[in-house]
């Protein structure tokens, strides 16, 4: 996949009671600053309400006929209360409710051919499984017993039938009504008593909302909310376990109260604490129905082992134990719930149990300061156990959250202990599990697996110890995407796990990789929402690498809470409103490629509403904010690398010249270079105007750029040295640097200077140069379609969408639409783009094959290595001999395709084509020049005047020990 150009910055706002990070990509600041933008009037809650899937009435009816089989007369009649005749054994009518629903069906009959006619009802979430047998919910796939089959009733003439309450069907879109006898019945009406969103009198009445200028993102936000509503069930309507021998039973008691947040609408209809890690923030951000979360947590605490402190892996009625990760998720859910609710009475009631639970899991911390997992049950991932990165990231979050709760409880001893354990664990994880070559955390110290879940959690929960690691993880995870979503190598068969995928979305935002975060949401969640096989309203338990259903297909839940991560991410990061305490909040937008976003969250004191309008061309951001009495907040403004940002709040200048100026009642301000933070925002209404912002990059430059963004892509040509001027041919990407580079899309003569790139110097104390991207597609790629056309590919290939150096990349099998929608965002707004297909063989530039997949690639010293095929490559580093396979390298850049390893060959780096001296020689030139010194892809850069000795001494180090090196110039 493509290397991103975003950079991460220091931590800013908290999310779910945990510390988050924010720092978007930086690009060139506008040459002139526009006048402060007037914030657009927010469209308001009604704009978001238009996307709500939840019904306002609990009595529903089908909206369409999906299909028929056999003899069905006037099938549309039943939709309007007239009669539809179904005649003959196995003839059927499939009714479509238009979205995921759940509850008890009533059928009304106007007549029958005679007494004793048998009518069946079968249910399915997907159109793939419509027919006379229901899709699976009772546990067949994993328990080895039971089939769902269908319900049957006898019709003797005019009358009605309502399903038994224990046969409630929690999640379906399609209802099949079929004949089990040879006569006929006249079906005159079908209705459903809707049972989702238990505890809400009006399921469509949302306390919070989200609205943006992107309709797909709006639909995704509300589909995530509706998924969790479908999973919020009456506590007496859980799935019976063990399952019956046939059919299904949804009459198990799984908790108390009016509603309980379970994992899935169709199944398992039980409390699984891991799912709460995603569905709780979704529930809070949308419906604020956190009472249902409290009821779920209470159910888990009520079944805690009183002697050991162990909490259940799966709550009633499954009552499973034996998972260190899910035990820890309950602890995280507890601190998260308190952050959202400020419910001190509840916290007091569970405090002793909470401490007991913390004692159980912290007792497993070993001599290295890491959790040593012995309870290995987990979500459907493999390789759990030992000093596992996922489990340790969870424990770190639990310890930080627990220390906060201990402070609330006045328990200073536990607060201090848990803080210290968290600090020790963080240091140990980064020392024992981080692999700088891969740019990811190992699953455990001896593993060659680099999981999506643990790496995403490490970034999301602040376990990383540098912004550079956040960036590296974000880029390495993005390298695994295909055209359906993000791969989960810890799950079998190249699956795309929507649970760890929800974690990855959060991680990209925390790393400041906003454009990729939005691209992933549009790609993976847009695919699920728009798939003709889905419900069109809810998100799936998982999918395979080819986009098909995971978890046995017919058994899979298509309304699963752990798949709803984008909903909270869009509120907490894109809108930028997030709770940081029981009366505190942060407001710090992540605009990405959006221009307008608005919405709200609910604190215990009331609603906090915000909106923003971003003009990347003008470099302006306008915000509005309203907060209730008793709250305090922090206002964040992204700089996108500009040091010339000026901010007014309610007309008073509070930031200019890089410094805070008292005004508008604010108490302070600071910047980390990525965001300006204004503190002490008291309750009230605010209008914020910021000018002089830089511009985020909606594009990536090359699929073979290094994970740090330091390698200039192949095909770029010198256009000026620092202090000169570059003139593009139309709109073209310009690179600036020496060894490390910044990128900007330019359409006019542009100074080759740090000021043109937002004041960010990519290579300090070195004379830099500017380069223009090759015209058309990436070097070596072939035009396959113009914008809005269709790009066919042979097999599976990497496809670039864009022009002149600005692209979005994705792996494509068969063909793809050449549109911004298909690639997640527009890499070059207002410019006609194309699609280009990658060649087979080596990456563009000086690369040579060193081993086929599963072979051994031998190099001298530590050298760059590329692993992949057909344009999709992972870049890392090999030291000595490396086995060329996904197990060793930890990544699969192109699932299901035979790959090869490549090493860099002799010659200078891109942009430095002139060999001016061999090692120990002299590179002669006049004036001041920057010289590259090295070989085989490893170089040092230094500026000299009047010539340079081509030696390790002159450059201060040996970039590649044991290998003959040379010196190179730009021209």
């Amino acid at each position: 996949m493509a290397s991103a150009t975003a950079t991460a910055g220091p931590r800013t706002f908290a999310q779910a009671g945990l510390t988050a990070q924010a720092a978007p990509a930086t690009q060139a600041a506008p040459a002139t600053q526009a006048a402060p933008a007037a914030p657009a009037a927010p469209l308001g809650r009604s704009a978001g309400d238009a996307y709500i899937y939840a019904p306002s009435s609990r009595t529903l009816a089908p909206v369409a006929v999906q299909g028929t089989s056999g003899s069905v007369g006037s099938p549309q009649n039943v939709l309007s209360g007239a009669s539809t005749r179904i005649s003959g054994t196995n003839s059927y009518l499939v009714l479509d409710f238009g979205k995921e629903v759940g509850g008890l069906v009533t059928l009304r009959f106007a007549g029958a051919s005679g007494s004793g006619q048998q009518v069946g009802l079968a249910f399915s979430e997907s159109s793939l499984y419509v027919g006379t047998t229901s899709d699976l919910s009772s546990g067949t796939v994993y328990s080895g017993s039971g089939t769902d089959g269908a319900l049957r009733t006898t019709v003797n003439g005019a009358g009605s039938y309502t399903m038994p309450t224990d046969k409630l069907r929690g999640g379906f879109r399609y209802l099949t009504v079929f004949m089990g006898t040879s006569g006929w019945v006249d079906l005159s009406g079908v209705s459903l008593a809707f049972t989702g969103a238990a505890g809400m009198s009006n399921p469509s009445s949302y306390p919070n909302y989200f609205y943006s200028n992107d309709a797909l993102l709006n639909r995704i936000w509300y589909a995530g909310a509706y998924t969790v509503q479908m999973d919020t069930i009456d506590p007496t309507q859980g799935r019976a376990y063990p399952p019956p021998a046939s059919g299904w039973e949804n009459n198990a008691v799984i908790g108390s109260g009016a509603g309980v947040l379970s994992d899935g609408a169709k199944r398992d209809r039980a409390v699984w604490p891991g799912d709460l890690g995603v569905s709780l923030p979704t529930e809070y951000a949308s419906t604020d129905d956190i009472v249902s979360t409290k009821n779920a947590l209470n159910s888990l605490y009520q079944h805690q082992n009183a002697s050991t402190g162990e909490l259940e892996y799966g709550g009633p009625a499954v009552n499973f134990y034996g998972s260190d990760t899910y035990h820890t998720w309950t602890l995280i859910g507890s601190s998260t719930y308190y952050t959202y609710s400020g419910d001190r009475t509840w916290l007091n009631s569970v405090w002793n149990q909470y401490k007991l639970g913390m004692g159980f899991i912290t007792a497993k911390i070993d001599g290295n300061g890491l959790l040593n997992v012995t309870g290995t049950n987990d979500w459907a991932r493999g390789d759990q156990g030992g000093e596992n990165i996922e489990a340790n990231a969870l424990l770190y979050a639990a310890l930080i959250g627990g220390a906060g709760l201990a402070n609330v409880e006045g328990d200073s001893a536990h607060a201090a202990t848990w803080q210290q354990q968290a600090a020790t664990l963080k240091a140990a994880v980064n020392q024992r599990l981080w692999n700088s070559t891969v740019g990811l955390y190992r699953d455990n110290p001896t593993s060659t697996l680099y999981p999506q879940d643990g790496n995403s959690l490490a970034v999301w929960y602040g376990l990383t110890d540098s912004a550079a690691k956040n960036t590296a993880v974000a880029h390495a995870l993005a390298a695994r995407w295909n055209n359906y979503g993000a791969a989960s190598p810890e799950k079998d068969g190249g699956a795309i796990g929507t649970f760890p995928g929800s974690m990855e979305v959060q991680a990209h935002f925390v790393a400041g990789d906003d454009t990729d975060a939005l691209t992933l949401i549009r790609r993976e969640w847009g695919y699920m929402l728009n798939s003709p096989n889905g419900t069109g309203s809810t998100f799936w338990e998982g999918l395979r690498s080819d986009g098909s259903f995971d978890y046995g297909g017919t058994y899979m839940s298509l309304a699963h809470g752990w798949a709803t991560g984008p909903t909270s991410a869009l509120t907490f990061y894109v809108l930028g409103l997030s709770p940081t305490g029981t009366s505190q909040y942060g407001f710090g937008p992540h605009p990405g490629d959006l221009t307008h976003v608005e919405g709200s969250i609910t604190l215990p004191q009331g609603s906090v509403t915000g909106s923003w309008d971003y003009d990347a061309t003008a470099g302006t951001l306008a915000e509005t904010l309203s907060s209730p009495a008793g709250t305090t907040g922090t206002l964040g403004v992204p700089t996108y690398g500009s040091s010339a940002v000026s901010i007014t709040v309610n007309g008073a200048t509070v930031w200019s010249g890089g410094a805070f100026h008292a005004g508008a009642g604010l108490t302070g301000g600071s910047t980390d270079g990525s965001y300006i933070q204004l503190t002490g925002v008291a309750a009230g209404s605010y209008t914020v105007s910021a000018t002089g912002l830089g511009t985020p990059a909606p594009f990536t430059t090359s699929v073979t750029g290094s994970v740090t963004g330091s390698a200039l892509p192949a095909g770029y040509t010198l256009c000026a040295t620092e202090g000169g001027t570059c003139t593009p041919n139309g709109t073209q990407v310009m690179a600036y640097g020496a060894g490390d580079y910044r990128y900007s899309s330019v359409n006019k003569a542009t100074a080759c200077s740090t000021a043109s790139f937002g004041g960010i110097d990519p290579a300090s104390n070195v004379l830099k140069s500017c380069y223009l991207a090759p015209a058309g597609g990436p070097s070596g790629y072939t035009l396959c379609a113009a914008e809005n056309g269709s790009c066919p590919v042979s097999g599976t290939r990497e496809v670039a969408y864009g022009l002149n150096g600005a692209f979005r990349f994705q792996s494509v099998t068969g063909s793809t639409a050449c549109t911004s929608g298909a690639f997640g965002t527009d890499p070059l707004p207002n410019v006609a783009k194309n699609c280009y297909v990658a060649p087979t063989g080596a990456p563009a530039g000086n690369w040579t094959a060193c081993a086929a997949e599963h072979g051994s690639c031998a190099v001298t010293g530590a050298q760059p290595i590329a692993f992949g095929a057909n344009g999709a490559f992972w870049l890392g580093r090999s030291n000595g001999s490396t086995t060329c396979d996904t197990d060793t390298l930890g990544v699969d850049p192109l699932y299901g395709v035979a790959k090869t390893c490549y090493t860099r060959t002799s010659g200078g780096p891109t942009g430095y084509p002139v060999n001016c001296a061999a090692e120990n020689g002299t590179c002669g030139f006049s004036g001041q020049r920057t010289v590259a010194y090295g070989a085989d892809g490893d170089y040092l850069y230094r500026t000299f005047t009047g010539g340079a000795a081509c030696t390790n001494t002159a450059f201060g180090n040996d970039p590649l020990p044991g290998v003959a090196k040379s010196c190179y110039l730009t021209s």
Side-chain angles (χ1 to χ4, degrees), residues 1 87-88 95 132-133 166 184 201 370 398 403 425 502 528 538 585 636 647 683 785 808 844 943 957:
M1 199 61 195
S87 305
L95 297 169
T132 58
T133 298
D166 64 313
W184 56 262
S201 57
L370 293 174
L425 184 149
S502 289
M528 287 187 280
T538 54
Y585 64 90
I647 304 172
R808 299 301 299 177
T943 300
N957 204 348

Side-chain angles (χ1 to χ4, degrees), residues 582-636:
T582 57
S583 62
Q584 294 85 40
Y585 64 90
F587 183 35
H590 285 236
D593 58 5
L594 299 174
T595 59
H596 175 80
V597 174
E598 59 185 88
S600 64
I601 60 172
T602 302
L603 297 181
Q605 295 77 14
S607 179
V608 181
T609 302
S611 73
W612 56 257
D613 292 271
Y614 177 56
D615 186 331
T617 302
T620 61
L621 177 70
E623 302 175 355
T624 66
L625 174 69
S626 178
S627 58
T631 63
T632 57
T634 302
L635 277 169

Side-chain angles (χ1 to χ4, degrees), residues 9-94:
R11 298 186 178 97
T12 56
F13 299 134
Q15 185 272 320
L18 299 166
T19 305
Q21 294 187 352
T26 52
Q27 292 297 315
T32 59
Q33 293 185 8
L43 296 176
R45 190 176 305 276
S46 61
D49 287 351
Y51 292 91
I52 291 176
Y53 294 93
S56 57
S57 169
R58 288 196 173 270
T59 301
L60 308 180
V63 298
V65 173
Q66 192 270 347
T68 64
S69 180
S71 178
V72 180
S74 304
Q76 299 290 332
N77 281 5
V78 69
L79 300 177
S80 59
S83 291
T84 292
R85 180 162 292 182
I86 308 174
S87 305
T89 305
N90 292 327
S91 291
Y92 63 76
L93 169 72
V94 182

Side-chain angles (χ1 to χ4, degrees), residues 706-897:
S706 79
V707 294
T708 61
S710 62
L712 190 67
Y716 276 59
T717 55
L718 180 72
C719 62
T721 55
E722 188 172 2
T725 300
C726 265
T727 302
N729 182 12
T731 299
Q732 207 165 3
V733 170
M734 185 170 83
Y736 169 68
D740 288 284
Y741 297 90
R742 305 297 300 174
Y743 298 85
S744 181
S745 176
V746 297
N747 58 12
K748 60 184 178 182
T750 302
C752 182
S753 68
T754 298
S756 295
F757 288 80
I760 302 296
D761 189 339
S764 299
N765 303 315
V766 176
L767 180 70
K768 291 162 280 291
S769 298
C770 286
Y771 305 82
L772 289 172
S779 180
Y781 280 53
T782 303
L783 178 70
C784 63
E787 187 173 7
N788 298 319
S790 178
C791 172
V793 304
S794 175
T796 300
R797 299 279 188 92
E798 197 80 358
V799 174
Y801 168 67
L803 192 74
N804 298 349
F807 301 102
R808 299 301 299 177
F809 294 85
Q810 73 178 35
S811 299
V812 171
T813 302
S815 67
T816 182
C818 188
T819 63
S820 297
F823 285 80
T825 192
D826 188 340
L828 208 57
N830 304 315
V831 174
K833 293 164 282 288
N834 298 313
C835 282
Y836 303 86
V837 64
T840 59
N846 298 326
W847 293 90
T848 300
C850 64
E853 190 167 8
H854 306 301
S856 179
C857 177
V859 298
T860 301
Q863 295 190 25
I865 184 172
F867 172 59
N870 300 349
F873 295 97
W874 166 84
L875 294 192
R877 191 167 293 274
S878 178
N879 194 343
S881 181
T882 299
T883 302
C884 183
D885 59 29
T886 58
D887 289 340
T888 300
L889 300 175
V891 292
D892 189 344
L894 203 62
Y895 183 74
V897 174

Side-chain angles (χ1 to χ4, degrees), residues 275-300:
D275 302 59
L276 294 178
V278 173
S279 59
L280 168 52
T282 299
E283 185 178 54
Y284 165 77
S286 56
T287 65
D288 195 37
D289 180 24
I290 53 176
V291 171
S292 295
T293 298
K294 178 175 71 172
N295 294 337
L297 292 169
N298 284 340
S299 179
L300 296 169

Side-chain angles (χ1 to χ4, degrees), residues 639-700:
T639 66
Y640 294 113
S642 173
S643 59
V645 176
S646 178
I647 304 172
T648 65
V649 176
N650 290 346
T653 299
V654 298
W655 186 275
S656 64
F660 173 71
H661 310 286
L666 306 183
T667 61
S670 62
T671 183
D672 57 22
S674 299
Y675 272 76
I676 295 165
Q677 309 287 4
L678 304 173
T679 57
V681 182
S685 296
Y686 297 87
T687 298
V688 183
S689 293
T691 61
L693 276 66
T695 305
F699 61 84
T700 50

